[in-house]
Amino acid sequence: SFSAPSVNVSAAGTWSISSLDISTLDQGSVTFSAYSTNGPQVGTAAHNAIYDSQTFVTLSAPTDGQVINSMEDNEVTFRGTGEPHGTVVVLADDGTQPITQSVPVDASGVWTLYMNMESLGDSVSVQVTLTDIPGNTASTSISLIHDTDLPSITIDTPIAGDNTITGVEEDAVEITGTTDPGASVRSEEHTSEL
């Protein structure tokens, strides 16, 4: 609680106390009380108001520095938490063509948004901003890497020297080739009738 200094009442009976700093009070219901003293008599008045100056938002996915590849950039999932019934705006910007989408926060404080990022460049900054019903805002930001370059891969031929795998070779077939350094390679084998 706090006390404001006394003020004089005008000839018309009006009074005003301004520049009250209530920032040390807890968020929620606040009761404002006024006392008028005239001789030995004291009159009182009280009024309740809601003190709401804060809100919050979190982003749990994607994470800072995450790589978004061309297999998933058509529907990137953004999710997090925030003040129930607030509105979340996600801004994804590569410096040339920003994309903005919004989504409401549900009653349980969870939000999810799906964004097509195919048109964005390699380096993307993401800012997530929540605005609650009274107009308070909160934000968080991350950076993403948009990797649209599919790794090139080749298979050295002929396989087994002549493209024919014999009974002698069948239990130790070696396949070689080239691809991007640092990539991982797996193989699939399919058979067809001769």
Side-chain angles (χ1 to χ4, degrees):
S1 64
F2 67 92
S3 296
S6 299
V7 296
N8 294 322
V9 180
S10 72
T14 61
W15 60 273
S16 176
I17 298 176
S18 60
S19 300
L20 295 176
D21 182 359
I22 66 169
S23 60
T24 59
L25 297 180
D26 292 334
Q27 302 281 303
S29 180
V30 176
T31 301
F32 292 91
S33 300
Y35 304 88
S36 175
T37 302
N38 188 358
Q41 305 297 322
V42 178
T44 63
H47 185 78
N48 289 332
I50 300 299
Y51 175 32
D52 183 350
S53 66
Q54 301 173 0
T55 190
F56 73 97
V57 66
T58 70
L59 176 64
S60 57
T63 57
D64 189 41
Q66 183 172 327
V67 176
I68 306 297
N69 63 45
S70 58
M71 302 295 290
E72 59 191 351
D73 61 2
N74 64 327
E75 190 176 64
V76 180
T77 302
F78 291 84
R79 67 168 58 94
T81 61
E83 184 173 331
H85 310 298
T87 299
V88 169
V89 175
V90 177
L91 168 65
D93 189 3
D94 63 357
T96 59
Q97 46 188 353
I99 300 173
T100 302
Q101 288 181 221
S102 63
V103 66
V105 182
D106 67 22
S108 64
V110 176
W111 62 272
T112 304
L113 179 147
Y114 304 97
M115 179 179 288
N116 187 323
M117 296 178 58
E118 290 177 306
S119 64
L120 296 178
D122 297 337
S123 180
V124 180
S125 62
V126 176
Q127 181 168 349
V128 177
T129 302
L130 180 142
T131 303
D132 66 8
I133 293 174
N136 302 306
T137 61
S139 62
T140 186
S141 61
I142 61 169
S143 295
L144 299 176
I145 299 169
H146 184 203
D147 185 1
T148 58
D149 297 326
L150 293 176
S152 61
I153 187 168
T154 64
I155 298 177
D156 295 336
T157 58
I159 294 175
D162 57 3
N163 271 347
T164 300
I165 301 168
T166 66
V168 174
E169 303 166 322
E170 65 183 357
D171 60 350
V173 178
E174 181 181 16
I175 303 173
T176 62
T178 61
T179 188
D180 295 349
S184 61
V185 176
R186 65 181 177 85
S187 67
E188 294 181 359
E189 296 75 34
H190 305 277
T191 58
S192 58
E193 293 183 6
L194 298 176

